[in-house]
Amino acid sequence: MSDPVLGIIGGSGVYQIDGLAHTRWQKVDSPFGQPSDELLFGDLDGQPLVFLPRHGRGHKIPPSELNFRANIDAMKRSGVTEIISVSAVGSLKPELAPGTFVIVDQFIDRTFARNKSFFGTGLVAHVGLGHPVCARLGDAIEAAAAENGIAAKRGGTYLVMEGPQFSTKAESELYRTWGCDVIGMTNMPEAKLAREAELCYATVAMVTDYDCWHPDHDHVSVETIVKILADNADKARALVRAVAPKLRHQGGPCREGCQRSLDTAIITPPDARDQAMVTKLDAVAGRVLRG
């Protein structure tokens, strides 16, 4: 296997990567529709990197209208082997103050209006999602944060809500009783699709607010979030810059098995598969469908 290619999906406040050299914006077509934007190709201290602004440059696309399938498919078509998702979230715990980063390891998906799988009628697959993020990537992110003095908590559950409205207080309190750590609108079905595409995936969740449950803080507002986002963005870019060299020489199969998640996932036998779907999945699942 060749050296890794790092993909960064930048959420709110993260629209560029400092230090990226030999850059070019390129349109990448996907059979699943249009990605959020063109993809930015370059290298960071010798590490090949592909950057996608999740909401498009200028933050034009709301969470429920993101074409998650096209975004992940375009990343896979661009040679990406691993994705770090940088996302703004609200905190559901008092110790996770605004400005804290959480290296998420679990999700609860409460979205309901999104296409959540590349597979479907004519070609059925069920990937395992017990551990939805790549611990190897998490290790690299944790080490990079520590080396750069960035406050980061390793581990936590991200509740993904539909949006675009923020939570009611009753919802926020309910999610706290579930033991959730942070809440946001974007990492599902992104993480599920990355697993289906056999990509390593990890989330850096940047806390911007206390949602609406905290009695000593004003209810969440866009103005508050934007201010914290500006502070977090510099730290996020520094974190990405520090992570890249740690991945540069980690060629070969991922020890977590992310890159072989389809080995036992496809249920439909070859002679019953819809050939149009097989063609559509050439990037996402070509490794197993061509076998």
Side-chain angles (χ1 to χ4, degrees), residues 9-10 13 33 63 102 106 111 122 126 145 156 164 179 185 191 194 197 203 210 213 219 228 230 232 287-288:
I9 300 180
V102 181
Q106 286 293 331
T111 65
H126 304 281
M185 303 178 188
T203 291
Y210 277 114
W213 62 270
H219 288 182
I228 299 295
N232 281 350
R287 182 186 70 82
V288 292

Side-chain angles (χ1 to χ4, degrees), residues 35-55:
S36 296
D37 205 326
E38 296 179 329
L39 277 63
L40 178 62
F41 292 76
D43 64 80
L44 191 59
D45 298 329
Q47 167 64 54
L49 187 146
V50 181
F51 173 72
L52 175 64
R54 182 185 284 113
H55 299 279

